[in-house]
Amino acid sequence: MDHVIDRSHGDFEHPAIRRVRALQPLAWLRLGYSDLAKSGVHSFAHGAGVAVLGVLLLMLVWRAPYMVPAYLGGFLLVAPFAAIGLYAISRQLDQGQAIDPRAALRAWRDNAGSVALFGLMLAVALIFWERAAAVLFALLYSGSAPDASRLLEDLLFSGRQSALLLAFFGAGAVLATVVFTLSVVTVPMLLDRPVDVITAALTSLRCCARNPAAMAVWAVLIAGLTILGFATAMLGLVVVFPLLGHASWRAYRDMVD
């Protein structure tokens, strides 16, 4: 890793940002796997909870096809907030402490106001994406709406929904890029330091600006592994979600001085 550091904002509120190599996210996954192996059942419990929640949400949207893309994109939007207990477990491992899952679940209380505010911001982004997906579906979907079991086939293979597909991907990509840029290290930083949401979000933005190649690779890995979790009927999320949670903590520790 190239430890060239931007020290233009080197005080506590504006920590220095390290420059990392483009493929450094692979090291974050390796370190995240190490944390997952050490934590074991505690981390897998987080993944199992998210998988069960995913199944329940999918059951709710099964008869509302327009909600399926919103659901898939929304999962990626709120995942950084849902992984806060995993960040806390990785921090316990960093500090040489015994793993305490109860303390990990309560860790957000040390900076409760900022964590809650950021959670609200993610919720607003999720609501915006849900409404945008509904409008796009209503305007661009041709023919009678299928049930969710046939929606993916209709969107990807029928050739009739190319305009809707492009609109979904375009709007989703823009929103996902904005949220990712402002949140990639925000929640771990709010957990780790007594900073406000603006400081944490700007730090996340600076990480992306200083490491665009690594952040692009990291975004692709997150999306790809999450899709893999969905494709296995949510079972893969039992492993994928805690792996990405621990790896996200490693990304924060690697980039933020």
Side-chain angles (χ1 to χ4, degrees):
M1 181 180 63
D2 181 1
H3 287 281
V4 176
I5 300 178
D6 173 12
R7 297 194 178 276
S8 59
H9 300 283
D11 57 8
F12 182 78
E13 287 77 14
H14 299 282
I17 305 302
R18 297 187 184 96
R19 179 181 296 158
V20 299
R21 295 173 180 170
L23 295 182
Q24 192 67 11
L26 297 177
W28 301 338
L29 285 177
R30 185 174 65 251
L31 293 170
Y33 177 79
S34 177
D35 286 353
L36 177 60
K38 293 174 184 176
S39 176
V41 65
H42 305 302
S43 293
F44 286 124
H46 280 78
V50 169
V52 170
L53 180 61
V55 171
L56 293 176
L57 290 175
L58 189 57
M59 290 172 62
L60 290 175
V61 305
W62 194 252
R63 295 189 180 276
Y66 79 88
M67 286 288 292
V68 174
Y71 159 75
L72 296 175
F75 185 91
L76 292 172
L77 293 180
V78 302
F81 188 76
I84 193 166
L86 297 166
Y87 307 147
I89 288 176
S90 285
R91 184 174 66 167
Q92 290 173 353
L93 292 172
D94 273 353
Q95 296 174 348
Q97 301 175 4
I99 294 176
D100 185 343
R102 292 184 179 180
L105 291 176
R106 297 192 301 266
W108 62 274
R109 296 180 181 179
D110 293 338
N111 197 5
S114 294
V115 171
L117 180 57
F118 188 70
L120 178 61
M121 292 167 61
L122 290 178
V124 170
L126 176 58
I127 293 171
F128 176 82
W129 170 237
E130 185 275 328
R131 287 292 84 200
V135 170
L136 290 174
F137 194 91
L139 291 176
L140 299 177
Y141 189 82
S142 58
S144 59
D147 60 32
S149 63
R150 291 185 289 120
L151 177 63
L152 184 62
E153 179 182 355
D154 193 35
L155 285 175
L156 297 181
F157 305 116
S158 71
R160 298 189 303 269
Q161 313 298 341
S162 57
L164 176 60
L165 196 61
L166 288 173
F168 269 143
F169 275 111
V174 171
L175 181 60
T177 299
V178 172
V179 173
F180 176 83
T181 301
L182 295 176
S183 66
V184 65
V185 301
T186 298
V187 180
M189 187 172 180
L190 292 175
L191 177 72
D192 194 41
R193 312 182 189 205
V195 298
D196 58 82
V197 171
I198 299 301
T199 298
L202 287 177
T203 300
S204 182
L205 179 62
R206 291 168 57 219
C207 286
C208 292
R210 189 152 183 81
N211 299 290
M215 291 296 93
V217 172
W218 186 222
V220 170
L221 287 173
I222 290 173
L225 289 172
T226 302
I227 292 172
L228 179 63
F230 288 145
T232 56
M234 306 298 171
L235 290 176
L237 290 178
V238 175
V239 176
V240 167
F241 186 78
L243 173 63
L244 289 176
H246 290 305
S248 294
W249 173 263
R250 296 301 161 190
Y252 158 70
R253 294 291 294 164
D254 207 7
M255 290 188 292
V256 181
D257 189 31

